[in-house]
Amino acid sequence: MSQIETVVRGSKQIEKLLREEFGAQGRGLHEYLTDVEPQIPDNIVRKGRYIASVRNKVIHDDEDIYDIKNFNEAVEEVDAALKEILHKRKLEKERAEKLESSTVSGPIHGVATQVVYRGGSGVFKFVCAISIIASLWLVEQLDKQKIKTAEFEQDVK
């Protein structure tokens, strides 16, 4: 594979990820990186700019790459880092969706009660849900006690 082909394939690979997965807008790798810079660690942005600069020199200035191995390593590192960011986002989204749809159900007064909790950590949500169910159970027990007290008072009269 020629140097030009290597450089073009490497830069296109990074451009495609930034455009399609990060929603980057612009006219080339430098502008894509600028557009999504807040989402990406600084060292990855710098390596991405290195890739763009080498590509521009090879294509526009007809220069050779003196260290093609270093260029290929930069492409692999940027590609892996971007995919790792996407993977973490996917996991966070799945976890948020799972927590958002979590429910706790229980019978109170013979009626099914459902507590849906959103936000916060899993342990906090669990404790809140249990507390709500326990509170509802205590209210039911107090109601039963009031009925017994009322019956006792009626029997005494």
Side-chain angles (χ1 to χ4, degrees):
M1 186 181 322
S2 72
Q3 281 191 346
I4 292 175
E5 190 176 356
T6 301
V7 169
V8 170
R9 283 179 187 252
S11 61
K12 283 185 76 160
Q13 177 180 337
I14 303 304
E15 287 176 2
K16 183 178 180 183
L17 265 174
L18 291 172
R19 185 180 57 251
E20 292 180 4
E21 301 296 334
F22 287 83
Q25 298 196 357
R27 297 176 315 160
L29 189 49
H30 278 298
E31 289 185 18
Y32 290 164
L33 288 164
T34 299
D35 192 41
V36 299
E37 196 167 353
Q39 302 174 49
I40 301 171
D42 290 339
N43 65 323
I44 300 304
V45 171
R46 280 192 302 277
K47 285 195 188 269
R49 293 201 185 284
Y50 163 75
I51 294 165
S53 295
V54 169
R55 181 218 171 267
N56 288 344
K57 285 179 183 177
V58 168
I59 299 298
H60 300 296
D61 299 337
D62 200 27
E63 289 188 25
D64 287 333
I65 303 174
Y66 295 107
D67 191 357
I68 195 76
K69 181 182 175 195
N70 189 40
F71 178 83
N72 286 331
E73 288 173 358
V75 170
E76 289 175 21
E77 186 176 341
V78 171
D79 183 69
L82 294 176
K83 287 177 179 173
E84 179 66 23
I85 291 167
L86 293 171
H87 180 69
K88 286 180 181 178
R89 284 183 182 177
K90 180 182 174 189
L91 292 177
E92 288 172 5
K93 182 180 177 184
E94 288 172 356
R95 185 173 52 223
E97 288 171 353
K98 184 177 178 183
L99 291 176
E100 190 171 299
S101 65
S102 298
T103 61
V104 176
S105 301
I108 303 293
H109 291 295
V111 177
T113 304
Q114 189 174 57
V115 178
V116 178
Y117 48 88
R118 301 179 192 283
S121 74
V123 173
F124 177 75
K125 290 182 197 179
F126 178 75
V127 170
C128 288
I130 296 302
S131 298
I132 291 169
I133 290 172
S135 298
L136 293 171
W137 181 81
L138 285 172
V139 168
E140 181 179 16
Q141 298 304 311
L142 285 172
D143 287 346
K144 287 180 181 177
Q145 187 62 39
K146 284 180 187 177
I147 292 170
K148 287 181 182 177
T149 303
E151 288 173 355
F152 176 76
E153 288 176 352
Q154 233 175 14
D155 287 345
V156 172
K157 287 184 185 180

